[in-house]
């Protein structure tokens, strides 16, 4: 029409207003609208916006566009990538007619098709520039936010499709899609950039592995200012990226989305030690801050790490859930494991110190302690790991455990909670089999140090009876400690099970002193003491068993007071079986005597055990005390021959009834005992010092000879001994010790003091000296002791001397004394001219 020549678009609009719709056809004309629409869809009946007039088909135009749309999608861009143009602005079509003709709405679907086409062509998206991409993201976000007609786009499924398109510019200059892996926006939840301690220079490898949105994109978005809706374009761009699936670059999200999934992949173990180290370093560093998300998720994160992460160890990469892993000395482990495992066939996994060399350790105060805490939460330990397991009751205890065990109360198939440690069992059995005493001593020291904090609660397991009552039993961990022979003793060089040994406490030490089989080293932990079952009280049978050990021990050291308590304890506890005690005491050396005289009863001194037959209670002559006055110690291996050492009354004054009346110890020394006393007296003292003691012994022998208690065989034995030169037990007036050997000349005792003065200067004549005797003692000497000496063939002075006056011319008379047959005592004197 002539009126539309200058503006054909308005003519098209008027024409289209007369096109009938399908719903408007009735009766005979019902098919007419469809025919018209079909012809129009196939004809170039619409005009494209732009310079000049271009007629196109309805499917080649977009309606409801804006000027902002034309700026975002120029005609050339639409024509090149979609083959369409914008519908002329003067052509306004009803919505129903437009849909019937196939005219597409401008909206999210068009924007999606454009970005898809751009990313499919070489350098297509890159050639558009980041400013254009910012506008595109802003437009998409505006459509989604304003709830406008989405033109069939905008569902979550469509957003998932968008993740497949590599339209996101990355910091390395490339473009990536979310399907290829997580992409991070370099902002935290507050909008502040992630820098400072988390900067790339601190975690270089981590940031190299992270795909982050190029900061130039946000700069370009910021340059656009505000959108048509008045909102910030940079904010809209960021929100659109988040909606598509880009992650905020926060430390917690890096942990959850990037680091943890990395650890789950086994293929990342070999050849990636530096990355694994840095990832764990990031975790340690992040856990130092008050991350809100970590307050609720940290426990889950640690659990996932324990189950999946590979730890660098001295034996390669290992998972804590698969093998026990331990701290090395670099991580502050107080245990010197080389003292325990060196030489054993044992694989001991220790954390590599590579973690301590990461740059964060220069930024963390107490970095080693923070690493320790982190790894400890993952199950890493200084020493062996004891884990709780479930077992059937038959596996836990095939035999009745103790008096509380009642099979009728245990349901069929009951499960027990037990504590086990395979690595500890392996270590303990090897130490026991190699009999390495020093390693075993160190093991006990380690357990004593760690028991209360780490192992005490693992000494017992438990199960529930049919009525719901909780019952406990010795755990497998505790049983292996008690059953294996691995503990050193103070008494020998062997290894023992714990139940064989004593704890060095007052109740035991007061009876056994230092001579009980105590543990080495001494256990300090009361809980470990209980778990090991060490003896803290002395039982009756223990004393006799220990006595047998003492008999084989040399040298033996003890205090008299302690031994006194020992004998008293033995007798009091064994009062119902006295015969057994006496037999045991007579069975071998049982009586302790010290090697020194005059020591305190509380002093621990060397000594020996003597048999009951080798000791006596006291010495009525006092001669033994005289030996003690001049001799303070003796050679230990000669105690059996030393008379003073064998006197018990001074050592154990309160035990007379036990030793003498019940055990049969002699009240006084026997004959041979006094012979030994005389020998010791002569060896340590001058006759002038002890002559009176010799007199008392001779008097005792004289009384016993008279009563018949002294046997003739004993007297003959003494006479035979006296004939030997070395048995110097006879004191003389010249303050010398002699015997009846002929080399000492004539030996006699003085019964006449006047005669003694006449002959005391003669050679080969020795007069016995019994000290300064009073009248009573002189009478005893003449009436009692003389009889005993005569039995020994020791004559008196008068028996070997005769007196006679000889006249020879006018000279004065002279007194001549003849000693007749002096070499053979018993003969009468003869005259001498």
């Amino acid at each position: 029409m002539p009126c539309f020549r200058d503006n054909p678009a308005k003519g098209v609009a008027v024409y289209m207003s007369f096109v009938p719709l399908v719903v408007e056809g009735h009766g005979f004309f019902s098919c007419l609208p469809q025919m018209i629409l079909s012809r129009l869809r196939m004809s170039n009946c619409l005009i494209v916006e732009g310079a000049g007039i271009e007629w196109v088909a309805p499917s080649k135009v977009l309606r409801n566009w804006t000027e902002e749309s034309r700026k975002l999608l120029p005609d050339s861009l639409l024509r090149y990538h979609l083959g369409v143009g914008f519908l002329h602005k003067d052509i306004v079509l009803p919505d129903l007619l437009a849909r019937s003709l196939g005219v597409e709405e401008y909206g999210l679907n068009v924007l999606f098709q454009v970005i898809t086409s751009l990313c499919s062509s070489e350098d297509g998206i890159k050639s558009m520039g980041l400013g254009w991409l910012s506008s595109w993201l802003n437009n998409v976000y505006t459509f989604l936010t304003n709830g406008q007609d989405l033109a069939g786009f905008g569902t979550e499924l469509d957003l998932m499709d968008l993740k497949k398109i590599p339209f996101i510019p990355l910091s390395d200059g490339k473009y990536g899609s979310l399907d290829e892996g997580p992409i991070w926006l370099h902002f935290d939840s507050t909008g502040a950039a992630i820098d400072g301690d988390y900067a790339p220079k601190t975690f270089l490898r981590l940031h190299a592995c992270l795909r982050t949105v190029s900061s130039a994109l946000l700069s370009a978005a910021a340059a656009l200012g505000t959108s048509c809706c008045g909102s910030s374009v940079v904010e809209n761009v960021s929100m659109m990226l988040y909606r598509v699936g880009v992650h905020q670059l926060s430390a917690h999200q890096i942990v959850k989305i990037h680091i943890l999934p990395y650890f789950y992949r086994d293929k990342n173990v070999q050849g990636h030690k530096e990355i694994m180290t840095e990832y764990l370093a990031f975790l340690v560093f992040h856990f130092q801050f008050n991350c809100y998300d970590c307050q609720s998720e940290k426990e889950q994160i640690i659990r996932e790490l324990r189950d999946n992460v590979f730890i660098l160890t001295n034996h390669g990469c290992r998972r804590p859930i698969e093998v026990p892993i331990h701290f090395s000395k670099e991580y502050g482990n107080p245990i010197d494991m080389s003292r325990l495992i060196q030489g054993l066939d044992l694989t001991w996994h220790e954390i590599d110190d590579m973690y301590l060399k990461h740059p964060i350790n220069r930024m963390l105060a107490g970095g080693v302690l923070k690493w320790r805490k982190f790894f400890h939460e993952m199950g890493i330990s200084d020493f062996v790991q004891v884990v709780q397991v479930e077992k059937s009751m038959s596996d836990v205890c095939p035999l009745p455990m103790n008096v509380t065990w009642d099979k009728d109360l245990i349901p069929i198939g009951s499960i027990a909670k037990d504590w086990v440690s395979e690595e500890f069992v392996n270590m303990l059995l090897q130490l026991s089999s190699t009999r390495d005493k020093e390693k075993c001593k160190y093991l006990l020291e380690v357990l004593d140090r760690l028991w209360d904090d780490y192992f005490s609660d693992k000494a017992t397991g438990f199960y529930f009876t049919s009525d719901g009552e909780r019952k406990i039993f010795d755990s497998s961990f505790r049983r292996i400690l008690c059953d294996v022979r691995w503990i050193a003793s103070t008494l020998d060089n062997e290894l023992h099970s714990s139940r064989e040994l004593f704890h060095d406490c007052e109740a035991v030490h007061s009876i056994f002193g230092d001579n009980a089989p105590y543990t080495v080293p001494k256990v300090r932990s009361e809980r470990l003491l209980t778990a090991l079952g060490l003896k803290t009280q002395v039982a009756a049978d223990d004393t006799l068993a220990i006595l047998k050990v003492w008999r084989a021990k040399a040298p033996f050291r003890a205090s008299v007071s302690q031994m006194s308590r020992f004998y008293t304890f033995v007798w009091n506890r064994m009062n119902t079986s006295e015969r057994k005690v006496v037999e045991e005491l007579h069975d071998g050396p049982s009586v302790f005597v010290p090697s020194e005289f005059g020591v305190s009863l509380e002093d621990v001194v060397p000594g020996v055990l003597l048999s009951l037959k080798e000791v006596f209670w006291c010495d009525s002559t006092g001669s033994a005390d005289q030996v003690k006055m001049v001799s303070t110690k003796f050679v230990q291996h000669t105690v059996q021959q030393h008379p003073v050492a064998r006197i018990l009354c001074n050592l154990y004054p309160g035990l007379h009834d036990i030793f003498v009346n019940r055990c049969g110890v002699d009240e006084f020394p026997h004959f041979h005992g006094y012979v030994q006393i005389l020998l010791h007296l002569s060896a340590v003292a001058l006759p002038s010092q002890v002559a009176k003691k010799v007199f008392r012994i001779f008097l005792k022998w004289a009384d016993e000879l008279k009563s018949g208690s002294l046997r003739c065989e004993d007297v003959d034995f003494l006479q035979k001994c006296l004939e030997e030169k070395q048995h110097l037990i006879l004191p003389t007036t010249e303050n010398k010790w002699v015997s009846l050997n002929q080399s000492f000349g004539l030996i006699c005792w003085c019964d006449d003091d006047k005669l003694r003065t006449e002959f005391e200067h003669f050679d080969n004549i020795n007069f016995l000296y019994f000290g300064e005797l009073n009248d009573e003692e002189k009478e005893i000497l003449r009436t009692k002791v003389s009889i005993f000496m005569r039995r020994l063939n020791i004559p008196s002075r008068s028996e070997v001397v005769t007196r006679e006056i000889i006249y020879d011319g006018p000279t004065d008379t002279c007194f001549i004394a003849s000693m007749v047959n002096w070499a053979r005592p018993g003969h009468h004197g003869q005259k001498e001219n």
Side-chain angles (χ1 to χ4, degrees):
M1 296 177 65
C3 63
F4 298 118
R5 286 177 182 166
D6 295 334
N7 194 347
K10 290 184 177 180
V12 172
V14 173
Y15 173 81
M16 289 297 175
S17 65
F18 293 102
V19 175
L21 300 176
V22 174
V23 296
E24 297 175 345
H26 303 285
F28 177 77
F29 299 101
S30 60
C31 60
L32 181 60
Q34 185 64 45
M35 293 173 60
I36 295 174
L37 293 172
S38 179
R39 292 292 299 273
L40 288 174
R41 282 194 295 268
M42 293 185 294
S43 62
N44 295 329
C45 59
L46 297 177
I47 300 174
V48 178
E49 178 70 21
I53 298 175
E54 181 182 1
W55 294 85
V56 296
S59 60
K60 298 297 184 178
V61 293
L62 301 175
R63 64 187 290 264
N64 290 339
W65 52 272
T66 63
E67 288 301 323
E68 186 178 359
S69 305
R70 289 197 68 190
K71 291 180 181 180
L72 176 65
L73 303 178
D75 295 341
S76 59
L77 179 66
L78 277 177
R79 187 67 57 88
Y80 181 80
H81 288 284
L82 302 185
V84 299
F86 289 112
L87 180 63
H88 198 285
K89 64 178 180 294
D90 292 332
I91 301 176
V92 180
L93 301 176
D95 293 341
L96 186 58
L97 177 60
R99 286 193 295 270
S100 298
L101 292 175
V103 177
E104 188 173 359
E105 296 281 336
Y106 173 79
L108 289 174
N109 190 45
V110 173
L111 294 173
F112 177 76
Q113 292 178 37
V114 171
I115 202 71
T116 301
S117 179
L118 282 171
C119 292
S120 300
S121 58
E122 185 176 357
D123 292 333
I125 185 68
K126 189 173 184 179
S127 64
M128 299 304 297
L130 296 180
W132 179 89
L133 183 58
S134 298
S135 298
W136 182 87
L137 289 168
N138 178 63
N139 271 263
V140 173
Y141 184 73
T142 301
F143 273 108
L144 292 173
T145 304
N146 294 338
Q148 298 177 3
D149 181 9
L150 301 184
F153 181 83
T155 65
E156 291 303 319
L157 182 60
D158 293 320
L159 290 176
M160 290 294 294
D161 291 336
L162 192 57
K163 294 180 179 181
K164 301 176 182 179
I165 303 173
F167 71 95
I168 303 176
L170 304 177
S171 55
D172 61 0
K174 299 178 182 179
Y175 285 77
S177 69
L178 291 164
D179 260 13
E180 298 169 343
I183 297 178
W184 305 84
L185 184 59
H186 207 63
F187 278 72
D188 65 11
S189 58
T190 63
I194 298 293
D195 53 13
D197 295 335
Y198 289 102
K201 64 180 180 180
T202 305
F203 299 100
L204 185 63
R205 294 179 179 86
L206 171 62
H207 282 275
C209 295
L210 293 176
R211 298 195 308 157
T212 57
V213 177
S214 173
S215 59
L217 175 65
L218 300 180
S219 299
L224 296 177
T226 59
S227 67
C228 58
C229 301
S231 58
S232 169
V233 174
V234 68
E235 183 177 343
N236 290 350
V237 169
S238 299
M239 297 305 296
M240 185 60 212
L241 290 173
Y242 295 149
R243 185 158 184 175
V244 174
V246 172
H247 303 290
Q248 296 176 350
L249 190 61
S250 68
H252 187 77
Q253 289 299 315
I254 290 176
V255 171
K256 291 284 291 183
I257 298 172
H258 180 75
I259 292 179
L260 293 182
Y262 179 89
F263 286 137
Y264 299 159
R265 299 190 290 269
D266 291 350
K267 64 181 181 180
N268 288 325
V269 176
Q270 301 300 331
H272 296 80
K273 294 182 178 180
E274 293 80 6
I275 294 179
M276 293 172 63
T277 300
E278 183 147 303
Y279 283 10
L280 285 183
F282 187 90
L283 282 169
V284 171
F285 191 74
H286 176 60
F287 285 157
Q288 307 311 308
F289 300 94
N290 294 324
C291 173
Y292 175 80
D293 295 323
C294 280
Q295 293 179 8
S296 59
E297 298 182 25
K298 182 178 179 181
E299 185 176 341
Q300 175 64 25
I301 292 174
I302 293 296
R303 185 162 51 249
E304 292 181 14
L305 287 173
R306 186 164 53 243
D307 294 343
N308 296 280
V309 72
F310 282 88
I311 303 295
L312 304 180
T313 75
N314 55 335
H315 294 286
C317 297
R318 297 291 185 271
R319 282 193 176 112
I321 197 174
E322 295 174 349
V323 297
I325 302 177
H326 310 280
F327 291 113
S328 63
K329 62 180 180 180
E330 288 78 11
Y331 289 87
N333 190 341
I335 305 168
D336 185 0
M337 289 305 302
S338 63
R339 293 179 58 182
L340 281 177
I341 65 175
Q342 188 173 9
L344 299 183
D345 183 16
L346 187 68
T347 301
W348 188 261
H349 293 88
E350 290 185 344
I351 301 180
D352 196 294
D353 62 355
M354 185 174 183
Y355 298 105
L356 301 179
K357 299 175 182 178
H358 192 273
I360 68 159
N361 292 284
R362 296 191 296 269
M363 303 161 54
L364 290 175
V368 173
L369 294 179
K370 289 180 170 59
W371 275 107
R372 272 187 64 90
K373 179 182 178 182
F374 173 73
F375 281 127
H376 179 70
E377 291 174 340
M378 292 173 57
I380 311 303
S381 61
D382 286 323
F383 197 46
V384 294
Q385 296 178 14
V386 184
V387 297
Q388 190 175 58
V389 297
E390 291 186 350
K391 292 183 179 180
S392 67
M393 292 304 301
S394 58
D395 292 336
V396 170
C397 192
L399 297 175
M401 291 178 294
N402 47 46
V403 294
T404 64
W405 178 266
D406 189 344
K407 293 185 177 180
D408 294 334
L409 293 177
I410 302 174
I412 297 177
S414 293
I415 298 299
K417 297 282 189 175
D418 194 13
W419 291 98
V420 299
S421 177
E422 292 185 9
E423 62 174 344
F424 183 71
V425 171
N426 189 13
M427 177 191 299
L428 195 65
L429 292 179
Q430 289 195 49
L431 290 177
S432 177
S433 63
T434 57
R435 298 182 179 180
D436 194 322
K437 187 175 179 180
E438 292 304 315
K439 283 185 171 65
C440 289
K441 288 161 63 174
Y442 187 60
L443 175 59
L444 182 57
E445 178 185 333
V446 170
L447 285 175
D448 191 31
R449 188 190 314 169
L450 303 179
W451 189 264
D452 289 354
D453 293 332
Y454 299 102
F455 300 118
S456 62
D457 59 337
K458 300 171 178 60
T460 57
F462 68 90
Y463 68 95
F464 289 99
T465 63
S466 57
D467 57 2
E469 183 181 359
R470 189 175 186 267
K471 296 280 189 177
I472 64 172
F473 60 88
D474 291 346
S475 68
S476 298
F477 175 58
R478 179 181 180 181
R479 289 201 299 271
I480 195 70
L481 278 173
C482 296
D483 294 344
V484 175
R485 303 177 69 86
W486 66 278
I487 304 180
S489 164
T490 54
L491 282 190
D492 55 36
N493 292 319
E494 301 298 321
L495 297 177
H496 304 265
S497 64
S498 61
R499 294 186 179 93
E500 297 174 346
L501 301 178
F502 288 88
H503 176 58
D504 190 357
C505 58
E506 179 61 27
V508 179
H509 200 275
S510 63
I511 298 173
F512 291 149
D514 296 331
N515 299 300
Y518 301 118
T519 61
V520 180
K522 180 179 179 179
V523 175
R524 307 292 178 182
S525 167
E526 292 291 337
R527 295 178 183 177
L528 178 58
L529 179 66
T530 301
L532 291 175
L534 297 177
K535 300 177 183 179
T536 57
Q537 296 291 331
V538 179
D541 290 338
D542 290 332
T543 55
L544 299 183
I546 291 298
L547 180 59
K548 293 180 180 179
V549 176
W550 290 350
R551 290 168 177 168
K553 183 181 180 182
F556 185 76
R557 295 176 60 88
S559 72
V560 173
S561 61
Q562 172 252 306
M563 292 302 297
S564 180
R565 290 190 294 270
F566 172 79
Y567 298 127
T568 303
F569 181 87
V570 171
W571 200 261
N572 290 342
R573 293 300 177 92
M574 290 293 190
N575 52 13
T576 58
S577 54
E578 180 175 325
R579 181 177 179 182
K580 176 182 178 181
V581 178
V582 174
E583 289 178 353
E584 186 62 41
L585 294 177
H586 276 279
D587 191 49
S590 305
V591 183
F592 172 76
V593 293
S595 301
E596 300 180 10
F597 305 136
V599 297
S600 169
L601 299 181
E602 301 295 334
D603 291 342
V604 177
V605 296
V608 294
L609 292 176
L610 300 179
S611 69
L612 295 174
K613 295 180 179 180
E614 294 176 308
V615 295
F616 50 90
W617 183 251
C618 65
D619 169 29
S620 59
T621 68
S623 55
D625 291 335
Q626 187 68 38
V627 174
K628 187 187 301 184
M629 292 174 59
V630 295
S631 177
T632 59
K633 70 172 57 177
F634 48 87
V635 181
Q636 198 159 332
H637 67 272
T638 63
V639 176
Q640 289 86 341
Q641 288 78 42
H642 203 295
V644 179
R646 296 182 285 145
I647 298 177
L648 302 184
C649 63
N650 294 328
L651 297 176
Y652 308 104
L655 303 184
H656 178 273
D657 181 61
I658 293 176
F659 283 120
V660 178
N661 297 337
R662 301 192 182 188
C663 295
V665 170
D666 291 333
E667 184 81 34
F668 305 106
H670 49 69
F671 173 79
H672 293 278
Y674 277 114
V675 173
Q676 292 295 326
I677 289 176
L678 289 176
L679 286 172
H680 280 281
L681 280 174
S682 65
V684 299
L686 295 173
S688 59
Q689 295 175 302
V690 295
K692 193 64 95 43
K693 302 301 180 183
V694 177
F695 173 76
R696 293 185 183 281
I697 293 176
F698 274 48
L699 174 59
K700 179 178 177 60
W701 282 342
D703 291 339
E704 291 177 349
L705 182 63
K706 181 179 180 181
S707 66
S709 60
L710 182 62
R711 301 177 304 169
C712 294
E713 293 86 346
D714 293 331
V715 179
D716 293 339
F717 170 79
L718 178 60
Q719 185 176 5
K720 185 176 181 181
C721 290
L722 287 172
E723 292 175 357
E724 297 178 1
K725 188 175 183 179
Q726 66 270 24
H727 278 73
L728 306 177
I729 62 174
L730 300 176
T732 67
T733 55
E734 295 183 3
N735 207 22
K736 295 189 300 181
W737 293 97
V738 298
S739 69
L740 297 180
N741 186 269
Q742 293 183 3
S743 61
F744 292 104
L746 174 65
I747 306 299
C748 59
W749 62 277
C750 181
D751 57 349
D752 188 331
D753 291 336
K754 293 181 179 180
L755 287 178
R756 183 183 64 182
T757 58
E758 293 292 336
F759 294 96
E760 61 184 358
H761 299 297
F762 278 58
D763 294 335
N764 293 328
I765 301 177
N766 288 291
F767 302 110
L768 295 184
Y769 176 68
F770 294 113
E772 298 299 326
L773 303 179
N774 57 35
D775 293 341
E776 182 181 354
E777 290 171 336
K778 291 178 180 178
E779 181 63 24
I780 292 174
L781 175 62
R782 285 192 295 270
T783 60
K784 293 184 178 182
V785 177
S786 62
I787 298 173
F788 177 71
M789 288 191 291
R790 188 175 297 113
R791 180 68 177 78
L792 294 176
N793 288 331
I794 301 177
S796 65
R797 191 80 51 91
S798 60
E799 290 177 326
V800 295
V801 175
T802 60
R803 297 171 181 264
E804 183 175 346
I805 298 176
I806 300 176
Y807 297 94
D808 187 10
T811 61
D812 295 334
T813 62
C814 65
F815 178 77
I816 299 175
S818 278
M819 308 300 292
V820 180
N821 204 16
W822 55 269
R824 293 188 297 146
H827 288 70
H828 296 289
Q830 295 180 353
K831 296 178 181 179
E832 183 176 356
N833 294 322

